[in-house]
Amino acid sequence: MSDSDHTAARTTLLRLLTGHMAPQVIHAATHLGLPDLLASGVAGTDELAARTETHAPSLGRLLRAMACIGLVTEPTASRYELTPMGALLRRDNDDSLNATVLLNFRDEAWRSWGELLYSVKTGSPSFEHIYEARAFEYFASKPELGGIFNQAMAEHTHQAARDIVAGHDFGGYSTVVDVGGNDGTLLSAVLTANPDTKGILFDTAEGTAQAPQALRHAGVDKRCEIVSGDFFEAVPQGGDAYVLKSVIHDWDDERSETILKSCRSAMTDGSVLLLIEPVMPDRADASLTVPMVISDINMLVYTGGCERTESQFAALLTTAGFELTSIGSPLQPTDYRVVEARPV
Ligand SMILES: C[S@@+](CC[C@H](N)C(=O)[O-])C[C@H]1O[C@@H](n2cnc3c(N)ncnc32)[C@H](O)[C@@H]1O
């Protein structure tokens, strides 16, 4: 290795090793509500310190760090203005990532990732080891956290839904059942793009807590029924397409098979199953992306699920009574692909 390659490798490694620190700046700023306080324009350090009840010199250092990573600019000394990237942390931004920040920096996330080694050694979710509960049951027992989780899912899916609807034609289906559809962000996008299609949104009572409001806001509530229940028991009948986005990756093969069998029991022979997930390459080649592996490790520490390869999807679908019929291209700029399967 040449000297310059060696220096570059060391610099890259150092950057990775401090990778958790800049996000702490984002979290502190979001937790204090600075993006919302800066929404109306430029503000100075002292005013912001008074409004956030913080130590002004230290807040000044936080604001300088925010400027350095691109959340604000400092047009005049000690006065700050939000950048377009910083504005994505405002709660009222349509493309907000506010709840995503709050979820990722909760103790639950921080401690679960902190115990990654436990999961690697045992193959079990560190979350369950630490909190002695399955993640979704734990979320259900903590309404405030459940609300942040639902909001973070909606934020994540909000933008992806546009790409999914643009990249996959849902127009041929008369009723789409979104299994584990949370607040209906994806189903809203599907129904908005296809005015003749009806929807059934299925999730737990906690998962659908924000759904009535979200479907109304999207103007699709009259065409969408909300059903709450447990997909390990049963899912609603009546759809010609059953969509599961970011659901199967939450679970190990055994539990995934149970969910898919619930779908199979509800479906007619002519219905189609659409899993919307990234598809892992067989090897760490150029198609492997950082979001894919982060999501995969997230599943390892939280729920015991994983991101799957094509052959893993095919095997899982076969055991649940389906045949994998096609896998679409990645719905750019996301890694999501539509894995289509039909009952056999
Ligand atoms: C990772 S989220 C994905 C949400 C949504 N499909 C999306 O992509 O934005 C997984 C969803 O599965 C739901 N879920 C978890 N356990 C469930 C169960 N036993 N029955 C029905 N839904 C469940 C959660 O409430 C949550 O909304």
Side-chain angles (χ1 to χ4, degrees):
M1 189 189 259
S2 71
D3 277 359
S4 66
D5 285 349
H6 174 81
T7 305
R10 202 167 184 285
T11 305
T12 303
L13 187 56
L14 268 174
R15 188 168 45 74
L16 288 168
L17 286 172
T18 54
H20 61 297
M21 293 175 181
Q24 288 288 8
V25 169
I26 301 175
H27 175 240
T30 308
H31 184 85
L32 290 171
L34 291 172
D36 294 313
L37 291 174
L38 286 164
S40 49
V42 181
T45 306
D46 288 342
E47 178 196 341
L48 291 167
R51 295 184 70 183
T52 55
E53 299 181 355
T54 51
H55 179 240
S58 303
L59 184 73
R61 291 162 71 178
L62 181 72
L63 285 158
R64 181 174 59 192
M66 288 168 66
C68 187
I69 61 175
L71 298 178
V72 293
T73 57
E74 188 180 3
T76 54
S78 298
R79 293 187 61 76
Y80 295 91
E81 185 170 28
L82 218 47
T83 62
M85 184 166 87
L88 293 171
L89 299 171
R90 282 170 51 180
R91 271 176 302 201
D92 64 355
N93 190 316
D94 267 355
D95 276 333
S96 180
L97 290 171
N98 185 288
T100 304
V101 176
L102 299 182
L103 182 69
N104 286 353
F105 286 85
R106 293 270 311 196
D107 269 3
E108 289 86 355
W110 209 245
R111 290 183 64 197
S112 301
W113 274 82
E115 295 288 341
L116 170 59
L117 208 48
Y118 170 87
S119 290
V120 173
K121 284 184 176 172
T122 62
S124 302
S126 52
F127 182 95
E128 290 177 16
H129 174 61
I130 298 164
Y131 294 99
E132 295 178 346
R134 286 186 177 275
F136 285 109
E137 285 158 16
Y138 179 90
F139 287 178
S141 71
K142 304 218 175 282
E144 192 215 339
L145 172 59
I148 295 174
F149 174 81
N150 289 346
Q151 185 60 33
M153 288 307 104
E155 286 177 356
H156 189 73
T157 299
H158 180 67
Q159 188 151 14
R162 290 197 285 252
D163 305 315
I164 291 165
V165 169
H168 184 85
D169 183 10
F170 288 84
Y173 312 124
S174 59
T175 302
V176 175
V177 184
D178 192 349
V179 178
N182 201 262
D183 77 340
T185 296
L186 174 61
L187 196 50
S188 293
V190 169
L191 298 183
T192 301
N194 299 283
D196 296 328
T197 304
K198 292 197 180 68
I200 301 176
L201 179 68
F202 180 73
D203 205 299
T204 58
E206 295 79 21
T208 56
Q210 281 79 32
Q213 190 188 337
L215 296 173
R216 228 180 2 260
H217 181 71
V220 297
D221 51 318
K222 303 276 185 294
R223 283 188 284 137
C224 189
E225 186 188 348
I226 300 172
V227 181
S228 50
D230 178 357
F231 52 39
F232 293 110
E233 300 293 328
V235 309
Q237 297 182 332
D240 48 356
Y242 283 73
V243 175
L244 293 88
K245 177 190 162 287
S246 308
V247 169
I248 290 302
H249 81 158
D250 284 338
W251 305 100
D252 60 22
D253 281 356
E254 194 184 334
R255 303 201 108 207
S256 297
E257 188 184 323
T258 307
I259 298 168
L260 293 174
K261 282 183 170 163
S262 297
C263 294
R264 177 66 191 93
S265 300
M267 291 165 74
T268 64
D269 289 347
S271 328
V272 64
L273 179 79
L274 304 169
L275 307 181
I276 305 181
E277 309 230 338
V279 179
M280 277 283 192
D282 290 325
R283 301 183 46 191
D285 63 19
S287 65
L288 185 67
T289 67
V290 171
M292 265 184 210
V293 291
I294 287 187
S295 180
D296 183 55
I297 301 292
N298 215 23
M299 295 308 117
L300 176 63
V301 299
Y302 257 110
T303 59
C306 63
E307 302 299 343
R308 292 181 169 83
T309 62
E310 179 173 343
S311 54
Q312 287 173 322
F313 274 118
L316 178 62
L317 286 160
T318 302
T319 58
F322 292 94
E323 179 194 6
L324 195 165
T325 43
S326 70
I327 297 190
S329 310
L331 298 163
Q332 302 284 357
T334 75
D335 292 321
Y336 291 118
R337 299 170 74 166
V338 178
V339 177
E340 185 186 282
R342 295 193 178 263
V344 284

